[in-house]
Amino acid sequence: MTAVSTRLLQLPKAELHLHIEGTLEPGLVFALARRNGVDLPYRDEAELRGKYSFNNLQSFLDLYYDCMAVLTTRQDFADLARSYYGKAREQGVRHVEMFFDPQAHVRRGVDFDDIVDGLNQAIAEAWTDHGISGGLILSFLRDEPLESAESVWDRAKERPERFIAVGLDSAEAGFPPARFGPIFAQARALGLNAVAHAGEEGPPSYIWEALDELNVDRIDHGIRALEDDDLVRRLVREAIPLTVCPLSNVRLGCVPDLASHRLPEMLAKGLVVTVNSDDPAYFGGYVGDNFVALDAAFGLDEATAARLARNSVLASFATSDRKNELMALVDSWEAQA
Ligand code: ADE
Ligand code: ZN
């Protein structure tokens, strides 16, 4: 590990775009399969890793949903998140806003409360054990029938304080956001924040729609915003954060390679960009690794790295006291240069 990598891993940062199911490493897939008596269609971890070659979002999602079969109990969800926090600590992560996909579990017969309470248990422990703050983002699968989203939402709204936000993910192209408007309006009325994946594979019009019809606070990915100058002007004017995931974009073929990623141009245009990992077990790195990879591709100077970390803090849903603490940590990282 080079001195620069160590320094970027130490940079205090918030992770705002992380699917907890996307942290399921092959070792844990097999351990949970043994614990739960689940038969896997892969002989061993090496064979599973051999499947980690994707040509688009759907080819990844197929494997992502298949591997979730090993997650069945409340303890499985708590263990998954605990295992993630062990990694997060080594990556400089001080705050995590974690997506989970309840529909993908409930449709397999898993109890909604087991998922939520297991994850929230690990989130509470992360604060006491590691000083990592954060919360859960309940994400709806945009490619499933609306009734499936409505039925998990009916469970979620009984105790909305268990979530910090609602989100929208899964296969994007052909699944515009607008039909989720009524659920998002209810979530907002209950005091939840709102985010949506848009402009990953889908067109810029989906970003407009997420802003206008879902009233989102942030856009997840949003890289295709660059195709629409009016949209870029709006995102800059309204300071809407974009949670960009560079290694994910490369692995899913949204950009050809890291050197061609337009993140530097996004920053130059004044967009509020943050760097995130998306599904780190599948895409070759956690959030700190994304910073290190950007440095290898572009040469990330300290001021830009600190700007990205500050963006992540300011774009988060942390309380203002917590944001002040995190900003002070970034200040002292920069002062140690
Ligand atoms: N679910 C998990 N990862 C995702 C991604 N990159 N895009 C959409 N849905 C997802
Ligand atoms: Zn994502």
Side-chain angles (χ1 to χ4, degrees), residues 9 17 25 83 118 164-165 212 290 298 309 316 328 330:
L9 293 180
H17 187 155
E25 295 279 354
S83 150
I164 54 173
D212 292 334
N290 272 266
F298 308 124
S316 77
V330 180

Side-chain angles (χ1 to χ4, degrees), residues 226-293:
L226 289 174
E227 297 169 26
D228 179 338
D229 291 341
D230 286 339
L231 177 58
V232 169
R233 274 190 285 277
R234 176 173 181 189
L235 293 167
V236 171
R237 189 175 62 245
E238 298 181 15
I240 307 282
L242 305 179
T243 63
V244 175
C245 306
L247 288 175
S248 162
N249 295 154
V250 174
R251 291 295 183 104
L252 298 186
C254 299
V255 303
D257 52 43
L258 218 46
S260 335
H261 201 292
R262 295 171 74 185
L263 183 138
E265 188 184 337
M266 296 174 88
L267 285 171
K269 287 187 147 76
L271 289 162
V272 183
V273 172
T274 69
V275 169
N276 308 272
S277 67
D278 210 4
D279 300 285
Y282 294 90
F283 299 151
Y286 287 74
V287 61
D289 304 321
N290 272 266
F291 277 81
V292 172

Side-chain angles (χ1 to χ4, degrees), residues 17-19 99 169-170 197 200 220-221 245 248 278-279 283:
H17 187 155
L18 173 94
H19 302 266
F99 290 112
D169 65 7
S170 203
H197 284 54
E200 178 186 21
D220 296 308
H221 294 293
C245 306
S248 162
D278 210 4
D279 300 285
F283 299 151

Side-chain angles (χ1 to χ4, degrees), residues 112-266:
F112 181 78
D113 286 339
D114 281 344
I115 310 165
V116 175
D117 296 344
L119 294 174
N120 270 326
Q121 164 91 36
I123 288 171
E125 288 169 13
W127 177 241
T128 46
D129 297 350
H130 306 304
I132 301 178
S133 52
L136 271 184
I137 306 178
L138 186 161
S139 202
F140 298 106
L141 302 185
R142 68 202 308 153
D143 52 347
E144 284 283 300
L146 195 58
E147 300 73 52
S148 149
E150 285 165 346
S151 94
V152 297
W153 174 241
D154 284 342
R155 295 294 305 278
K157 71 186 181 198
E158 291 165 9
R159 287 160 62 200
E161 68 283 359
R162 294 188 292 176
F163 314 101
I164 54 173
V166 290
L168 189 64
D169 65 7
S170 203
E172 185 186 6
F175 299 99
R179 69 194 175 105
F180 291 87
I183 295 184
F184 273 59
Q186 285 184 40
R188 299 223 65 129
L190 290 174
L192 296 183
N193 300 294
V195 299
H197 284 54
E200 178 186 21
E201 281 190 345
S205 62
Y206 289 13
I207 302 177
W208 285 103
E209 212 174 294
L211 295 171
D212 292 334
E213 309 292 331
L214 306 187
N215 248 306
V216 294
D217 302 286
R218 301 194 297 246
I219 294 288
D220 296 308
H221 294 293
I223 53 174
R224 290 194 58 190
L226 289 174
E227 297 169 26
D228 179 338
D229 291 341
D230 286 339
L231 177 58
V232 169
R233 274 190 285 277
R234 176 173 181 189
L235 293 167
V236 171
R237 189 175 62 245
E238 298 181 15
I240 307 282
L242 305 179
T243 63
V244 175
C245 306
L247 288 175
S248 162
N249 295 154
V250 174
R251 291 295 183 104
L252 298 186
C254 299
V255 303
D257 52 43
L258 218 46
S260 335
H261 201 292
R262 295 171 74 185
L263 183 138
E265 188 184 337
M266 296 174 88

